[in-house]
Amino acid sequence: MTAVMGTPMKRKEDPKLLTGEGKFVDDIQVPGQLWMGMVRSTMAHANIKGIDTSAAAQMPGVHSVYTGSELADMDLWIAPLPCVWPVTPDMLNPPHYPVAAETAHHVGDIVAVVLADSRYEAADAAEQVVVDYEVLPVVASLADAVAGEKLAHQDLGTNQAYHWALEPAPEAVEAAFASAVHTVKGEFVQQRLIPAAMEPRGVLAVPSPHGGELTIYSSTQVPHILKVMFAATTGIPEQKIRVIAPAVGGGFGAKLNVNPDELLAVTLANRLGRAVRWTETRSEAAFSTHQGRGQHQTIEIAADAEGKIQAVRVHLNADMGAYMMLITPGVPVLGSFLYTGVYNVPAFGFTCDGYFTNLTPTDAYRGAGRPEASYAIERAMDMLAAEVGVGPEEIRRRNYLAGGEAFEDLETASTLVFDSGHYGPNLDAALEMAGYSDLLAQQQARRDAGDKKELGIGLCTYVEICGLAPSRALAGLNYGAGGWEAGTVRLLPTGKVEVVSGSTPHGQGHETSWSQIVADKLGIDPNDVTVLHSDTAISPLGLDTYGSRSLSVGGVAIAMACDKVIDKAKQIAAHQLEANLDDLTFEGGSFSVKGSPDKALAIQEIAFGAFTAHNLPDGMEPNLNEQVIFDPPNFAFPFGTHVAVVEVDTDTGGTTLLDYIAVDDCGNQVNPMIVEGQIHGGIVQGVAQALYEVAEYDADGNCKNPSFLDYLVPSPTELPNIKTGFTTTPSTSNPLGVKGAGEAGTIGSAAAVINAVCNALKPYGVNDIEMPATPMRVWQAINEGSQG
Amino acid sequence: MIPAAFDYVEAVSAEAAIAALGQHGDEAKLMAGGHSLLPLMKFRLATPSVVIDIGRLSDLSYINDGGDHVAIGALTRHAAVETSDLLKSQAPILAHVAGEVGDPAVRHRGTLGGSLAHGDPASDLPAAILALNATMVVKGPSGQREIAATDFFTGFLQTALAADEMLTEIRVPKVPDAGWSYQKFNRRAQDWAIVGVAAVSNGSTNVALVNMGQTPLRAAAVEAALGGGASAADAAAAAAEGLTPPEDLNADATYRAHLAKVLVGRALSEAGAG
């Protein structure tokens, strides 16, 4: 066998998905199922004075209608919805139940639920439920929350949920700013984003009334976490719960949660003894699924005369939304460590205040805190370059960790130890691919010719934390779970291989990548490997997929399980070939005795021997079936340089992305095609934040653009052919030397694009532009800039 | 995204559709390609109790040479308009604008008549029809009548069609030698125009605007300025004169007015007007 690791093998998943054979939650039908229709609050903040369900109850096909207070009296749950990341001991976390009984805290908060025979009847009946609201003052923005004149939760007496600080050396920060030659300050808005996975969320809970078991199908990234949390919140014994994530059409963090609708389906199915289901509509998703970002950032850099950074100081106000969901408060905290970027920062300070608003809750969205961090430091570095009077590439070179040279296990001012990096050559490669000096010349030529279409070139050199990961480090952050991952490799009697993966794919291609790892390790055909996953009955141990962790934790566990299989198979081979262990070599899937090439056993033959157990070493257990639970010693820190080239029509304000170059370093790669796909998708999500997407709210807390008519997700026609390149700096955090690539694109791209837009508009006196840089906003900035 | 309940009637002919309209009155809606009506129904912004499907009336899908005009059946898909050699030579702006509607999926489903009868001020095709001075042929229970394009759009999503009338044909004057331009400004290729401008210059110049008022409309001030001998640049400066542009997340009225001026300027220049 030739090596399959590092080759662009076509995805095993795709034929099924592309021909419509993928089974998503909504494809699974169960006799006797009831559909839930949600009655959602139309008010962002209101006391529920009364609910009239009589008309709805008379509608055709309706089984029952429950209000929040009726459900509260049914003892369906023993605890509120979980938040597993209470970032401080005194963090405020008002109880959040699946259905609001007394007060609705955001538009879309569920206030009653209809159960009916079909989704249409459920929707029609839900429309007939009449709710009497007593409207309360609405905290409709982060600014409202900080001002504090209105309260998002009346009984809390404050909107501030927590204050979190990472200030390892406050005096050093003060001193650096006091003596700095150059200082810059950037204030940035990370607008709220609506995650837009291709498949909306959905759940189907199927009870087995005589045994008490419950099987729950959910469009989720985290079936294992759901199982634990369903048990903890409902009191249903954990061993009776089976969660299956069938084909899942994307998640981006929005399916990393425990949602009210899921808990409703689980508890009602359990109580009624009938299958209960719900599938989110696209417009509903803007209210029923958590949103991303939602931060106001202030970042300051102190630098010496050459522009070398002396200190970075950051403060965030972060919008939690109406409730703390699974890891809502931790998202800005996760980003805090990256505000020093790829730079040598002698002194660093970070503070964050989390606030409640009467808006849909926020939580993880592709990158979760890290794109925000990368954006702030990379925008501020461009400001520093302008202040010092050097180019954006030069200011970065002057400040790279280790002077841009290769390093391993380097401690940074934000207290983390970066596993490995080599930033200088990565920047060189990106500038070379982009034709950076030619671009600068073209920009100047346009300006000299008075062209009203300005060219802008933007850089971003990012680093990210991925592979969430070391359980002890997560404990230090007060995160409520570990970061290990489980993998099992099992050789079947016929020599084929089953792999059980704890991390669960929702589009990433685990089946292909894990097959490649196993094929490479065992010297077999990747098509002889089947990967089992996403069902807690089949894969009982796992912590699922988020934070670019699957490969660097779960994939490594599988590689290590292969090593255990090989070790055991070698003992069997030595026994059966009557050779010393030390005289055996394993190559191309076969053990042979050095010097006697005819004395050999293929691993498939050993697998059969291990199955019959007729001739094993004394005391050895039959079968080749090994599990590893890997808890890495450190996170992994991928990095890269992105270059965005934009054209800004200064007459209309329209921005066109002309070219995009990404040179990423995610360590060793298993499947470069899958990596490239992840980079492409990630970049587009960052471009979307930079130029297109924002969840807009009015003063009453209503989302003004909940549908795809007005919430602009970019399509291929808005994008250039993205050019990708790679450098390879293996991680020291795991034996495969892999890092992670799922979020990297998003972490690099928003800053690159906005740096490019600002670069284009420099002659117009425009120093910053808020995301998304819409044509109207750009035109207004040009007008204000030229007037100012 | 789940529509309210409705009854469905498949019309086998224009006459049958008109009869069904007469029977159900205001409660009924004609559906051709469905690309305007169905989204409104899914949002429950439109809740017709009867949907009369005219989408299969293939005898109303044609592009014929009518001598001094091109006659286009109301059920002709955008893609057919876009690729018609007759239109490309005789009224090229219409073929071009049809190619600017939505995306390929929309253009293979949506119909010219459906787009015009919906009367959306943000749609592309009404502007082309206005700039071309086309004529609408409509049928009702008492027979056929003709309506000038400039009289057709009467209010927001309102047209001169009576409740029991149906648009059956669009007659487009042949203008093989006219200068023309269509300027569409939007954020994504598939979207409605934030502002659009259709200009046809054939001796005099007709200029129509997209998304600059309650209806698809002609830029009267621009046309008057050009008629009075103003330069293209001066005429373009009058693009928003007398208009009340809509406001939405993409554009406030000031920005829309600015865009109209820029785009009218570009359109007049490309059409060789002024």
Side-chain angles (χ1 to χ4, degrees), chain A residues 680-761:
Chain A
H680 279 215
I683 287 168
V684 175
Q685 267 172 313
V687 169
Q689 180 175 9
L691 296 179
Y692 296 100
E693 297 184 18
V694 55
E696 298 261 19
Y697 287 89
D698 68 15
D700 296 322
N702 295 302
C703 183
K704 295 196 274 187
N705 54 343
S707 88
F708 282 167
L709 283 175
D710 299 309
Y711 187 84
L712 303 188
V713 178
S715 70
T717 43
E718 282 71 59
L719 298 160
N721 277 324
I722 293 166
K723 297 175 183 134
T724 53
F726 295 94
T727 59
T728 304
T729 309
S731 176
T732 59
S733 299
N734 62 71
L736 288 183
V738 296
K739 293 193 169 184
E743 297 160 298
T746 310
I747 289 167
S749 56
V753 171
I754 295 296
N755 278 344
V757 173
C758 292
N759 178 255
L761 297 181

Side-chain angles (χ1 to χ4, degrees), chain A residues 366 462 464 639 642 660-666 669 672-686 722-726 740-746 749:
Chain A
R366 204 170 192 169
Y462 75 89
E464 74 139 318
F639 58 90
H642 288 198
Y660 199 97
I661 297 91
V663 177
D664 293 275
D665 192 322
C666 54
Q669 298 187 14
M673 183 192 71
I674 286 179
V675 172
E676 200 174 6
Q678 288 288 338
I679 300 288
H680 279 215
I683 287 168
V684 175
Q685 267 172 313
I722 293 166
K723 297 175 183 134
T724 53
F726 295 94
E743 297 160 298
T746 310
S749 56

Side-chain angles (χ1 to χ4, degrees), chain A residues 120 123-124 127 281 283 649 651-652 654 691-692 696 705 707-709 712-713 715 717-718 774-776 779-780, chain B residues 1-5 43-44 185 187-192 248-252 254-255 258-259 262-263 266:
Chain A
Y120 296 93
D124 287 347
E127 207 177 50
T281 69
S283 296
D649 181 338
D651 278 335
T652 61
L691 296 179
Y692 296 100
E696 298 261 19
N705 54 343
S707 88
F708 282 167
L709 283 175
L712 303 188
V713 178
S715 70
T717 43
E718 282 71 59
T774 65
M776 178 163 68
W779 177 71
Q780 287 167 343
Chain B
M1 301 300 275
I2 296 176
F43 286 123
R44 300 198 173 198
F185 185 79
R187 291 175 62 193
R188 300 181 307 176
Q190 71 200 57
D191 288 328
W192 279 276
D248 55 31
L249 295 175
N250 285 321
D252 61 18
T254 308
Y255 178 56
H258 167 77
L259 279 178
V262 171
L263 298 177
R266 290 178 183 179

Side-chain angles (χ1 to χ4, degrees), chain B residues 96-172:
Chain B
H96 173 80
V97 171
E100 294 285 301
V101 177
D103 56 30
V106 170
R107 296 197 288 273
H108 281 83
R109 187 83 201 140
T111 66
L112 178 60
S115 173
L116 298 175
H118 188 54
D120 189 336
S123 287
D124 302 289
L125 288 160
I129 291 296
L130 280 170
L132 283 165
N133 270 336
T135 300
M136 317 300 210
V137 180
V138 307
K139 274 187 186 163
S142 50
Q144 180 171 307
R145 67 182 176 119
E146 293 179 11
I147 307 172
T150 45
D151 296 330
F152 188 70
F153 305 104
T154 56
F156 182 69
L157 303 184
Q158 299 290 316
T159 67
L161 285 167
D164 56 358
E165 281 183 323
M166 174 177 158
L167 176 62
T168 56
E169 187 177 282
I170 298 92
R171 291 179 184 163
V172 178

Side-chain angles (χ1 to χ4, degrees), chain A residues 127-139:
Chain A
E127 207 177 50
Q128 297 302 317
V129 174
V130 182
V131 186
D132 181 14
Y133 294 106
E134 177 195 23
V135 176
L136 298 169
V138 175
V139 178

Side-chain angles (χ1 to χ4, degrees), chain A residues 536-550:
Chain A
T536 59
I538 290 172
S539 155
L541 283 173
L543 283 173
D544 307 318
T545 292
Y546 41 86
S548 304
R549 68 189 301 275
S550 282

